[in-house]
Amino acid sequence: MLYYDLHIHTALSPCASDDMTPNNIVNMASIKGLDVIAITDHNSAKNVKAVYNLGLKKGLIVVPGIEVQTREEVHILCYFYSVDECVKFSEIINKNLIKIKNQKTIFGNQFVMDEEDNVIEEIDYSLLISSNLSINEIFEYMEGKGVAVTAHVDRPAYSIVSNLGFIPNIKNLTTIEISKGIVTENFLHSYPEYRKYKIIRSSDAHYLGDISEREEFLLCKSELKSVVDWLCGY
Amino acid sequence: MRIKVVELVEKGFRLVAGDNGIDKEIEGVYICDLLSWVMAHAKAKSAWITIQTHVNIVAVALLAEISCIIIPENAKLDEEAKRKADEEGIPILSFSGTSYEAAITLYEMMK
């Protein structure tokens, strides 16, 4: 049994606290007794490597991830088998973003950090924006590289259900995410047609205190590949 | 006044899918991009203006008995949406102006 929180933002996401540093996240996840976390900043993987490397040192599995905002304004969590693949995808998203200056006094800072929590770069264009990639393009891209999970499908904004009315037939969609505050059974009672998917519940933490407790678990082996395989439905 | 979808083609709307539905009548206009909202609130026989181009727009149009879908600002329709609209006979029209400009054109035609 692996206790997880697969939706955590770092200080790179403008909306997340500047305290969401690589060390703080890894330490907090360890204190909470989690076995596996995922780093999922908006439209970028620039802090994934630092957190991943710290995880290796501390025995915490860190799934390389990105929360992409699609052309349909839907949030999709992309989880990868390797940091390299994740970074490669981050560069593709970057090419598909309109560059609008980040108004940091309104939206917040976008810090890239190293393993010692030093700020090594500040992203000056906004990451809180839709990419030009469609949902279908993202699911196609992810095949073999990892898995795509539709984020917080219960929410009235930025979710596939709110924006597209319902979950369309998507090849390779096996797992959907619901928000931490939602009871899985209640959700499935309202949407019985989504029983066919695996359901994960993560925190979408923007502050350290939001990171999940030891409550939700995956039944797979304690290694990155098994976690991503499990999400793929293997 | 009621108009037919086919009349839009003469007013700068470009038919991009669903040719076999162009005789449908339009009784009103609805503008919204959140499909969950459209499903709940759009009236039947509306011309629906949305920037969404995903295949789900066709399913929502069928469900809400929408007469046609108008995509403003020349946004490109997804291939799958085109296929589905052709199959279901839901006309989809592309428009170069904004949603507002499309709505004004429709208003003038329906006056």
Side-chain angles (χ1 to χ4, degrees):
Chain A
M1 248 195 264
L2 293 184
Y3 286 91
Y4 71 84
D5 185 346
L6 297 180
H7 192 160
I8 297 175
H9 291 269
T10 75
L12 176 58
S13 295
C15 39
S17 156
D18 293 346
D19 293 337
M20 295 299 267
T21 67
N23 282 280
N24 283 350
I25 290 171
V26 169
N27 289 335
M28 183 60 95
S30 301
I31 290 167
K32 296 219 179 195
L34 297 177
D35 304 301
V36 51
I37 63 168
I39 294 306
T40 51
D41 282 309
H42 294 291
N43 292 324
S44 176
K46 286 207 163 195
N47 273 344
V48 162
K49 194 162 190 176
V51 184
Y52 180 87
N53 287 344
L54 285 170
L56 284 183
K57 288 179 193 159
K58 305 233 167 163
L60 176 75
I61 304 171
V62 176
V63 181
I66 305 179
E67 185 175 27
V68 190
Q69 187 168 316
T70 71
R71 185 196 297 168
E72 299 88 353
E73 220 162 82
V74 168
H75 286 183
I76 307 276
L77 296 161
C78 296
Y79 301 118
F80 291 84
Y81 286 112
S82 73
V83 173
D84 287 351
E85 282 292 355
C86 186
V87 169
K88 211 190 282 177
F89 185 51
S90 179
E91 284 158 13
I92 292 172
I93 298 168
N94 189 37
K95 288 189 190 120
N96 282 281
L97 284 183
I98 297 171
K99 303 295 189 301
I100 296 171
K101 195 175 165 18
N102 176 40
Q103 303 282 346
K104 53 187 180 182
T105 51
I106 301 168
F107 296 103
N109 297 315
Q110 300 183 148
F111 292 146
V112 180
M113 293 175 167
D114 65 12
E115 285 173 50
E116 272 97 47
D117 293 354
N118 300 308
V119 176
I120 51 172
E121 191 186 346
E122 217 180 320
I123 308 293
D124 59 0
Y125 53 86
S126 175
L127 294 171
L128 277 186
I129 192 168
S130 290
S131 68
N132 190 32
L133 300 167
S134 70
I135 293 173
N136 288 350
E137 283 166 343
I138 285 165
F139 274 84
E140 268 167 35
Y141 180 85
M142 290 304 290
E143 199 163 339
K145 301 182 180 75
V147 63
V149 171
T150 52
H152 40 65
V153 299
D154 54 278
R155 295 216 197 134
Y158 299 117
S159 91
I160 194 162
V161 176
S162 67
N163 292 22
L164 294 186
F166 57 94
I167 301 180
N169 266 332
I170 301 173
K171 189 184 158 219
N172 297 336
L173 174 61
T174 46
T175 306
I176 62 176
E177 184 209 54
I178 59 172
S179 305
K180 197 180 170 188
I182 302 286
V183 178
T184 310
E185 264 318 303
N186 294 351
F187 172 78
L188 289 172
H189 185 74
S190 310
Y191 297 97
E193 66 274 28
Y194 299 153
R195 278 188 194 275
K196 63 181 174 185
Y197 300 115
K198 284 184 171 178
I199 310 263
I200 56 171
R201 248 177 81 207
S202 291
S203 70
D204 196 2
H206 286 68
Y207 295 85
L208 280 171
D210 295 343
I211 294 174
S212 293
E213 302 294 325
R214 203 175 152 85
E215 36 193 339
E216 297 287 323
F217 58 86
L218 310 173
L219 289 167
C220 61
K221 277 195 284 181
S222 183
E223 55 178 27
L224 173 59
K225 183 178 181 299
S226 294
V227 172
V228 179
D229 278 350
W230 186 91
L231 294 166
C232 286
Y234 300 149
Chain B
M1 196 178 83
R2 286 183 191 180
I3 56 167
K4 283 192 172 179
V5 174
V6 65
E7 294 171 51
L8 292 175
V9 180
E10 296 147 23
K11 298 281 181 184
F13 294 81
R14 193 164 51 87
L15 188 67
V16 290
D19 310 29
N20 48 347
I22 53 169
D23 284 326
K24 287 182 200 272
E25 285 192 329
I26 299 170
E27 291 183 0
V29 179
Y30 193 77
I31 310 179
C32 183
D33 298 320
L34 274 184
L35 273 54
S36 53
W37 191 270
V38 178
M39 282 162 69
H41 301 283
K43 289 203 175 72
K45 298 201 173 177
S46 296
W48 168 33
I49 305 174
T50 178
I51 200 73
Q52 292 280 6
T53 55
H54 187 271
V55 62
N56 273 23
I57 59 174
V58 180
V60 170
L62 277 171
L63 186 91
E65 297 175 49
I66 296 284
S67 300
C68 69
I69 303 169
I70 295 166
I71 314 278
E73 303 189 51
N74 287 332
K76 194 176 174 296
L77 185 66
D78 293 10
E79 269 307 307
E80 207 184 337
K82 179 180 168 5
R83 255 199 317 275
K84 192 80 183 158
D86 285 336
E87 203 178 295
E88 300 289 350
I90 298 284
I92 302 184
L93 301 111
S94 172
F95 187 70
S96 59
T98 62
S99 296
Y100 174 65
E101 286 156 354
I104 289 176
T105 309
L106 278 152
Y107 174 78
E108 290 296 335
M109 290 173 73
M110 297 177 75
K111 241 187 349 198

